[in-house]
Amino acid sequence: MVSDDTIAPLDGVRVLELGNYIAAPTAGRMLADFGAEVIKVERPKTGDELRNWRLYSGDTSMLYRTINRNKKSIVLDVRTEEGRQLVLDLAAECDILLENFRPGTLEKWGIGPDALAEANPELVITRISGFGQTGPMSQRPGFAAVAEATGGFRELVGDPDRPPVRVGVSIGDSIAGLYAAFGAVMALFQREAAKVAGTTGPPLPHRIIDVALNESILSMMESLIPDYLAYGIKRERVGGRMEGIAPSNAYTCSDGDSIIISGNGDAIFQRYMDTIGRPDLGADPDLTTNAGRWVRRDELDAAIGEWTIRHSRDEALKILDEAGVPSGPINTAADICTDEQYAARNMIQHFAVDTGEAQPKQVGFPGIVPVIGGASLPIRNIGPDLGEHTREVLETLLGKTPKQIDAIIRRSEGRTA
């Protein structure tokens, strides 16, 4: 339970997370951020593989610490009969189960939806996979990189004269995680609404949330498919621009930094052109709409670039801000850490972390989104050490004795004594 003075809409909700990597753990993080008790099950000895991703020193990466914040870590070997039974026992005490194994894996282990529903008839089961639980591609392994390609996203990222590129974060996994958290909360809401109404809760099929990585990406592709089917439009890569919208791009300043200027609104365009000393473009009747400006996008970008190159980044941003033209710096991690706006909303929160050095180091972590109450809610704890809460969970939820827990831990680690 969280403290009484903390805003926690999901306080009292308990989640069992059977997930590695990013997608399911992101869903767990979202639920944990807003008060749910999330129990993360990890394999013995190595734990979630994310513990070693981008690990520069120490034994646990900052990536793991970030995505698995506000959770509890327990170690169980679900490849054993004992481990699987403990999963079922824990599921009986939970409201939501999260998993992102390949479809059929839980069923193969004997802990699929039917077994879970028998253990807990009210359990919401949220499943994330590459291509969903059904369909001809459901059994294929699918990481976010593949999903971003098959979902139509990768084809639009990069410059038109070069192969498609990938963005610098696992955006496909993160979007799927958001959908999974949203789906779990919807199912939970439906379940609780039925209780209030005195009716039977949703049957098992309606308590299974099926999130596919490729579909999560597809759902973010705006009008890609309707434009193609309605007009035969095939979207192509346009670099830093956005198809059909102009002028909106990155522009280089005199100090070598680049800024983003999104002056594509019809009401903004004229004063934007006045600001850069090109009132002739602002008054041109062919440029009053996005359609016309898109046709002449190269001309507009050249004019804007000629203006920005005569100003430093800060000078250009100040002038544009005073003129009411949307613009902003292209922030690095260092920029974000000192940004007044993020600081004002508690969006960088600091914790003492073991980084492999002699003493713990104060490290900033991104805050909780969305904001409730005027600032980011406080992070309760960063991603836990492997198995940090095994004893606590097995004792408090399942009533295991210290002696029983010792034996479970030994067996899960392959030790006999």
Side-chain angles (χ1 to χ4, degrees):
M1 302 289 284
V2 297
S3 61
D4 293 338
D5 59 350
T6 299
I7 300 170
L10 297 180
D11 191 14
V13 173
R14 184 177 293 128
V15 180
L16 188 63
E17 180 185 302
L18 306 177
N20 289 324
Y21 305 113
I22 294 178
T26 293
R29 188 205 77 189
M30 292 290 297
L31 300 172
D33 281 349
F34 292 97
E37 178 187 7
V38 178
I39 300 168
K40 181 180 180 66
V41 176
E42 300 190 65
R43 71 190 69 164
K45 299 181 181 179
T46 58
D48 187 334
E49 290 187 36
L50 212 63
R51 288 182 178 275
N52 293 306
W53 283 20
R54 296 202 288 272
L55 177 61
Y56 302 108
S57 65
D59 59 9
T60 302
S61 71
M62 295 303 111
L63 180 58
Y64 177 92
R65 298 287 193 195
T66 300
I67 292 179
N68 292 286
R69 68 190 184 197
N70 292 332
K71 301 178 186 178
K72 297 177 178 179
S73 169
I74 69 171
V75 169
L76 293 178
D77 188 352
V78 296
R79 297 170 300 178
T80 68
E81 183 60 36
E82 180 179 47
R84 293 191 288 270
Q85 184 58 53
L86 288 168
V87 165
L88 293 174
D89 293 343
L90 288 169
E93 305 297 325
C94 293
D95 300 286
I96 299 168
L97 181 137
L98 301 172
E99 67 101 352
N100 63 341
F101 295 104
R102 191 186 300 190
T105 300
L106 291 190
E107 288 84 347
K108 180 180 66 177
W109 288 341
I111 52 175
D114 290 337
L116 290 166
E118 184 176 349
N120 183 350
E122 295 187 335
L123 186 68
V124 173
I125 302 169
T126 304
R127 318 189 75 175
I128 306 176
S129 60
F131 302 98
Q133 301 296 314
T134 60
M137 296 179 66
S138 62
Q139 295 304 307
R140 292 189 183 184
F143 275 20
V146 177
E148 291 162 19
T150 59
F153 179 71
R154 187 71 71 92
E155 176 63 15
L156 300 185
V157 183
D159 292 308
D161 58 344
R162 300 180 184 181
V165 298
R166 189 178 188 184
V167 298
V169 294
S170 299
I171 194 71
D173 281 320
S174 297
I175 292 172
L178 288 169
Y179 273 122
F182 179 55
V185 170
M186 281 198 302
L188 200 63
F189 180 85
Q190 184 183 27
R191 190 191 78 179
E192 296 307 301
K195 289 182 180 179
V196 172
T199 59
T200 303
L204 177 59
H206 294 173
R207 286 183 285 109
I208 299 176
I209 308 302
D210 181 358
V211 179
L213 294 176
N214 68 319
E215 293 167 356
S216 298
I217 287 292
L218 176 62
S219 73
M220 292 292 173
M221 297 309 296
E222 300 175 351
S223 61
L224 176 74
I225 300 303
D227 285 346
Y228 170 71
L229 294 175
Y231 312 116
I233 297 296
K234 181 183 177 183
R235 292 272 305 275
E236 296 179 350
R237 294 183 295 285
V238 291
R241 295 165 170 161
M242 176 65 74
E243 180 83 26
I245 296 173
S248 179
N249 211 335
Y251 305 94
T252 304
C253 297
S254 61
D255 51 10
D257 287 336
S258 294
I259 61 174
I260 294 291
I261 312 176
S262 296
N264 51 280
D266 292 347
I268 297 171
F269 179 70
Q270 183 171 344
R271 68 173 180 270
Y272 181 14
M273 293 299 100
D274 290 343
T275 300
I276 68 168
R278 292 298 305 270
D280 57 310
L281 294 174
D284 191 323
D286 292 337
L287 300 177
T288 56
T289 65
N290 256 307
R293 294 193 294 271
W294 179 251
V295 172
R296 293 168 61 181
R297 58 192 179 275
D298 291 337
E299 177 186 354
L300 291 173
D301 278 348
I304 298 164
E306 289 172 1
W307 179 81
T308 58
I309 201 64
R310 300 197 303 269
H311 300 274
S312 70
R313 182 189 76 165
D314 292 344
E315 290 171 348
L317 291 175
K318 183 175 185 296
I319 294 169
L320 292 165
D321 184 55
E322 290 174 348
V325 177
S327 60
I330 299 177
N331 281 342
T332 65
D335 295 325
I336 293 171
C337 288
T338 58
D339 187 279
E340 294 180 353
Q341 177 67 19
Y342 287 123
R345 288 166 65 86
N346 197 32
M347 277 297 165
I348 304 293
Q349 302 181 27
H350 290 82
F351 292 84
V353 185
D354 179 6
T355 60
E357 300 178 8
Q359 297 294 327
K361 186 176 182 179
Q362 285 292 318
V363 177
F365 290 82
I368 293 174
V369 178
V371 162
I372 299 178
S376 175
L377 300 180
I379 299 169
R380 299 190 301 280
N381 57 272
I382 56 173
D385 293 336
L386 179 61
E388 182 177 337
H389 303 93
T390 301
R391 292 182 179 278
E392 172 195 331
V393 170
L394 294 184
E395 180 179 355
T396 58
L397 288 189
L398 302 187
K400 302 295 184 182
T401 66
K403 185 176 181 179
Q404 289 173 321
I405 295 172
D406 287 340
I408 290 170
I409 292 174
R410 283 198 305 271
R411 287 191 291 269
S412 71
E413 295 177 346
R415 295 185 288 122
T416 57

